[in-house]
Amino acid sequence: MFRHHQHRGHHDHAPHGRHPFGWEGHGMRGMRHGRRERSDRVFEQGDLRLLLLKLIAEKPRHGYELIKAVEDGVAGAYSPSPGVVYPTLTLLEDLGYAKAAEAEGGRKLFAVTAEGEAFLAEQAAAIAELTARMEQVSVANRGRGAPQIVRAMENLRTAMRLRLSAGPLSDQQVAAVAEALDAAAKAVEQA
């Protein structure tokens, strides 16, 4: 219902500053009213397009390989949907930065073009910034979403809920549960 209007500063009046990957190739990164604004998003405007182009420049890839590479690059903090990746790859083709070739199973294998390589060279600073931000997200997220840890936490939560719902605990049982939880906490801290 309410909309926030974003101001892009002097670029609003300079169409030549507009680039297919956002302003100056990497978006405004949360700029608002001339100040930088905190954003919890992993990628800002144009970042995913730039990243996908960088990834296919490293080696030709299928769409699902790109999804996995992005997800791995941020330790699972974000996984782009096929509904975002494939239109982005089509845009990269339309811009002349990527080309697709039919591969086994009828899937398209995307590779960078010479024009795409030249564009990546021009965007070296934006790519370095993007890579650094992704590494920060990856470090912050490592282990957080590991399936083994999530499963173990759920097991503990379920065991506690079942034990506490079974009726009142004796003093001896309270001491045993507290000791087990303290031992688990200590083991996690030392891991």
Side-chain angles (χ1 to χ4, degrees):
M1 185 166 170
F2 296 96
R3 293 190 177 157
H4 297 281
H5 298 282
Q6 292 200 352
H7 300 281
R8 290 192 174 103
H10 72 278
H11 294 293
D12 279 339
H13 304 293
H16 63 279
R18 180 78 173 122
H19 194 277
F21 290 97
W23 297 101
E24 266 49 80
H26 53 82
M28 290 301 288
R29 307 261 192 272
M31 291 297 284
R32 186 173 166 135
H33 303 292
R35 295 181 319 238
R36 189 167 172 91
E37 184 176 80
R38 185 177 172 270
S39 174
D40 292 331
R41 293 173 36 183
V42 175
F43 297 108
E44 298 296 333
Q45 177 187 348
D47 286 349
L48 186 60
R49 286 175 273 187
L50 192 57
L51 177 59
L52 293 179
L53 186 60
K54 175 187 174 289
L55 289 170
I56 63 174
E58 291 170 0
K59 72 174 191 175
R61 301 178 199 235
H62 301 286
Y64 280 101
E65 289 175 304
L66 289 165
I67 291 169
K68 184 69 175 139
V70 171
E71 186 177 6
D72 290 347
V74 291
Y78 173 73
S79 181
S81 72
V84 170
V85 169
Y86 286 104
T88 301
L89 291 170
T90 299
L91 174 65
L92 291 173
E93 283 185 283
D94 291 346
L95 293 169
Y97 294 161
K99 62 183 175 192
E102 291 295 322
E104 64 181 65
R107 296 186 299 172
K108 288 184 176 182
L109 188 64
F110 293 88
V112 71
T113 63
E115 191 175 53
E117 289 280 4
F119 177 76
L120 286 171
E122 293 170 10
Q123 297 301 314
I127 292 169
E129 180 185 332
L130 174 59
T131 303
R133 281 191 294 120
M134 287 178 64
E135 181 58 27
Q136 288 174 339
V137 170
S138 181
V139 167
N141 204 51
R142 275 193 199 120
R144 213 180 265 174
Q148 302 92 329
I149 293 173
V150 171
R151 178 198 43 78
M153 287 172 39
E154 288 300 320
N155 285 347
L156 177 59
R157 187 176 294 124
T158 301
M160 286 298 301
R161 188 176 63 246
L162 291 173
R163 185 62 195 101
L164 295 175
S165 68
L169 300 175
S170 68
D171 289 343
Q172 185 179 4
Q173 290 170 318
V174 168
V177 169
E179 184 179 333
L181 291 173
D182 287 340
K186 186 175 182 178
V188 168
E189 288 174 358
Q190 294 174 353

